[in-house]
Amino acid sequence: MTGVRKILTKCSYLIFAVAFAYISLNILLVDNIHSYKIIQLFPGIIFGAVVVAIVIFLLNKIDSDRLDCNFKKVLLVFSIVYCIVLVRMGFLLRFTPSFDMDAIYSGAIQWTQNGNFSNYYEYFGYFPNNLGSMGFLHIIFKIASLFCVKDFFAVGIIVNSALITGTAVTVSLVCRKITNSKMALMSLCLFLLCFPFYFMGAAFYTDSLSLLFPVLCYYLYLCLKDENNRKKQMIYLAFMGLSLTAGMMIKFTVVIVLIAIVIDAFLYIPWKKALLILLVPLMFYGVTESVYSHNIYKNYISDKQYQNLKTPYWHWIMMGLQNNGYYSPDDYEYTRSYEINERSAACRKKAMDRIGELGVSGLFKLWTNKAVVCFGDGTYALSDFLDDTPANETGIHEYILYAGKNYNQYQSFSTGVLLLLYLLAIFGAVRDIIGKVKYRQSILVTAPRLAMLGILCFLILWETSGRYFTNYVPMLIVCATLTLYWKKEKV
């Protein structure tokens, strides 16, 4: 059975390596979406590679035992400094939210101050998937209001900056758990190279609000695997359920990491324990979602006219089959032209018609373009938010806003760094197929690469956006960091 597990694992690594190598080559050579020139991408790749080489050199000079003793202090200092930088940048980049972010932000404020969010019932009738993120902000704003805080945007910046900082810390803990303290520091270095995170504090939408939870869930899973005490195992399992529930309520794509973890669990630990890892988080989520939805539809969006606005999931699949999968007002008009009980079937039929029109070659080309859109923008399309009536005019805006005169330079440089992460992750997968390095947690580390494949599969089927990959960038950083682990260890 062990041989079968190894074969299945290495097959998944091969698929991962081929898929992301194919995407990377398309970004480098034939990207008609962003119109990059190779020479524009090289500075980011080279800069990132030089920084990584310097950090590796410095880490080789550090005594491992001494670093282990002082690791928590280093992590604490990093957290404080990084969070301060994020908060400061967040206040500089304040803006007036619009569209989806306005709905969850202003809806949460109205709920906090008036006891309802009636101005946004229609929006949430159409998009109930965003109710969880509004509820999350409502809880945060409610707590802040108890201390007479009225600047809720500032609260959003601080909380979002703390979540981003917590994500960086959790990535380092994951890498330390799998390898050692030096690689934990290396992961922080790679996180610092991802420039959009510096500017993300003010953009507290679902992409960043859910950023922490996939990698946190994976860290708790690693702790669970490493723990023999049954009571502590149950504690880790409960926290896994809580983190997955919070993440999935904010952005449902967090479920992908659960799928990846469960596959890893069935490969490497007893099946009964693996089954618990699947069922307990789903139970947490199911109960929470049921209670929350019951409360919303009983006490707030109780009018049937709002409940009949719901957009079916097939709408986004249908929309993802046209014009490289971008947002389409015409498709929304099409979906809403049908009665609620007919919408899903109508969208499914149109999706099947589009697949028939595309054919195999057309569908593959579409999926390629969608993958390039979703995984080929090193800015994570953050300007979707930051250019909504900025409160300040700064030199930074000339780089990070779509209309900024230096935006192309920033986008190309950031995408070069992103390509470096892909290249590292690909090389690490190939190396692990050969089996040259053994990690602390298991013979092979499966879940991060499976999670990357999972979000890839989802996004080539769904609506296309450069933002939707954001909450899985931390898992990519884990994959890239594992490649730089050079010390062989016996398991």
Side-chain angles (χ1 to χ4, degrees):
M1 189 62 179
T2 302
V4 174
R5 289 170 179 169
K6 286 184 179 180
I7 291 171
L8 291 173
T9 302
K10 292 188 177 186
C11 283
S12 71
Y13 288 3
L14 179 62
I15 296 170
F16 170 88
V18 170
F20 281 94
Y22 177 73
I23 294 171
S24 300
L25 286 172
N26 272 274
I27 295 169
L28 275 168
L29 303 176
V30 289
D31 184 354
N32 298 317
I33 307 296
H34 307 100
S35 301
Y36 298 126
K37 295 179 181 178
I38 296 179
I39 196 169
Q40 295 175 317
L41 298 173
F42 277 167
I45 297 173
I46 294 170
F47 173 79
V50 169
V51 170
V52 168
I54 291 172
V55 173
I56 288 175
F57 175 79
L58 294 175
L59 288 174
N60 276 326
K61 301 293 182 181
I62 298 176
D63 179 72
S64 297
D65 293 335
R66 187 176 180 182
L67 178 59
D68 287 338
C69 292
N70 293 284
F71 180 76
K72 291 182 180 178
K73 295 178 183 177
V74 173
L75 207 54
L76 179 62
V77 172
F78 169 87
S79 301
I80 294 171
V81 174
Y82 189 59
C83 193
I84 290 172
V85 171
L86 295 185
V87 171
R88 174 58 179 159
M89 290 297 294
F91 277 90
L92 285 175
L93 300 176
R94 286 181 71 138
F95 59 93
T96 302
S98 60
F99 304 111
D100 296 313
M101 183 171 169
D102 175 54
I104 70 164
Y105 169 66
S106 299
I109 292 176
Q110 187 181 30
W111 196 0
T112 299
Q113 295 179 334
N114 301 338
N116 63 62
F117 48 98
S118 56
N119 290 356
Y120 298 91
Y121 285 173
E122 182 177 5
Y123 172 87
F124 289 108
Y126 283 122
F127 305 108
N129 52 294
N130 277 344
L131 281 166
S133 51
M134 184 194 62
F136 178 80
L137 289 180
H138 165 62
I139 293 170
I140 300 300
F141 294 166
K142 190 68 175 179
I143 294 171
S145 69
L146 297 176
F147 297 92
C148 301
V149 175
K150 296 182 179 180
D151 187 351
F152 293 115
F153 200 93
V155 174
I157 290 172
I158 293 169
V159 170
N160 199 36
S161 299
L163 287 171
I164 297 167
T165 302
T167 304
V169 169
T170 306
V171 166
S172 72
L173 292 175
V174 165
C175 293
R176 190 183 191 217
K177 193 77 174 173
I178 297 172
T179 56
N180 55 35
S181 297
K182 290 184 178 181
M183 288 299 96
L185 293 186
M186 176 56 74
S187 72
L188 293 179
C189 166
L190 294 182
F191 206 96
L192 291 174
L193 284 173
C194 297
F195 299 108
F197 288 134
Y198 294 104
F199 315 126
M200 198 175 285
F204 43 89
Y205 188 56
T206 58
D207 312 296
S208 58
L209 292 177
S210 65
L211 189 72
L212 170 65
F213 298 105
V215 73
L216 175 60
C217 182
Y218 181 52
Y219 175 67
L220 292 169
Y221 167 63
L222 292 177
C223 293
L224 175 62
K225 283 177 67 178
D226 209 28
E227 182 59 60
N228 294 319
N229 183 284
R230 186 170 292 275
K231 289 184 179 179
K232 290 183 178 179
Q233 286 180 351
M234 296 308 295
I235 291 172
Y236 284 128
L237 196 56
F239 277 109
M240 274 185 67
L242 290 172
S243 64
L244 269 164
T245 297
M248 289 167 63
M249 292 287 288
I250 295 170
K251 198 173 188 72
F252 193 73
T253 55
V254 173
V255 74
I256 292 170
V257 81
L258 174 62
I259 297 169
I261 285 171
V262 168
I263 293 173
D264 182 277
F266 275 106
L267 285 172
Y268 290 109
I269 63 178
W271 71 269
K272 290 182 180 179
K273 191 173 178 181
L275 192 60
L276 279 176
I277 290 171
L278 171 65
L279 295 179
V280 171
L282 288 180
M283 180 189 69
F284 270 78
Y285 172 74
V287 171
T288 305
E289 168 63 21
S290 297
V291 171
Y292 183 61
S293 294
H294 177 75
N295 176 54
I296 291 293
Y297 290 109
K298 181 181 179 181
N299 299 315
Y300 301 99
I301 312 178
S302 56
D303 194 322
K304 285 189 176 181
Q305 76 176 80
Y306 296 123
Q307 295 181 24
N308 288 339
L309 297 175
K310 186 175 181 181
T311 306
Y313 292 123
W314 270 100
H315 164 83
W316 284 282
I317 297 173
M318 173 192 72
M319 192 164 64
L321 289 164
Q322 54 77 48
N323 188 27
N324 293 333
Y326 289 118
Y327 169 87
S328 170
D330 291 340
D331 277 0
Y332 274 97
E333 186 176 341
Y334 170 83
T335 299
R336 292 168 186 174
S337 68
Y338 288 88
E339 295 296 326
I340 183 67
N341 59 338
E342 299 174 342
R343 285 177 191 164
S344 185
C347 290
R348 182 168 62 249
K349 182 180 182 305
K350 197 170 187 68
M352 293 300 106
D353 290 342
R354 286 177 174 176
I355 291 173
E357 292 169 5
L358 286 166
V360 175
S361 61
L363 189 61
F364 184 76
K365 182 179 179 181
L366 173 66
W367 285 350
T368 298
N369 289 340
K370 290 180 71 174
V372 170
V373 172
C374 293
F375 295 90
D377 186 351
T379 73
Y380 315 150
L382 198 57
S383 186
D384 282 1
F385 302 112
L386 300 179
D387 63 0
D388 294 338
T389 318
N392 307 299
E393 292 184 12
T394 71
I396 299 171
H397 286 95
E398 295 297 334
Y399 286 90
I400 65 174
L401 300 190
Y402 294 138
K405 63 181 180 182
N406 298 316
Y407 179 76
N408 288 338
Q409 297 175 29
Y410 164 64
Q411 185 185 38
S412 299
F413 193 86
S414 298
T415 302
V417 174
L418 181 60
L419 281 168
L420 175 66
L421 295 181
Y422 289 146
L423 293 173
L424 286 172
I426 293 162
F427 179 80
V430 172
R431 183 193 63 182
D432 286 353
I433 292 171
I434 299 170
K436 292 293 183 182
V437 174
K438 294 183 179 180
Y439 306 107
R440 288 180 179 177
Q441 278 292 323
S442 64
I443 296 174
L444 298 170
V445 181
T446 311
R449 289 157 185 158
L450 285 175
M452 291 293 296
L453 283 174
I455 193 65
L456 169 60
C457 291
F458 175 80
L459 291 179
I460 63 174
L461 296 175
W462 207 248
E463 178 192 359
T464 305
S465 170
R467 293 190 292 105
Y468 295 166
F469 167 51
T470 303
N471 60 349
Y472 278 85
V473 172
M475 299 301 277
L476 174 61
I477 294 173
V478 171
C479 294
T481 304
L482 296 181
T483 302
L484 300 169
Y485 180 55
W486 58 87
K487 182 181 178 182
K488 297 181 182 180
E489 296 187 8
K490 294 182 179 180
V491 180

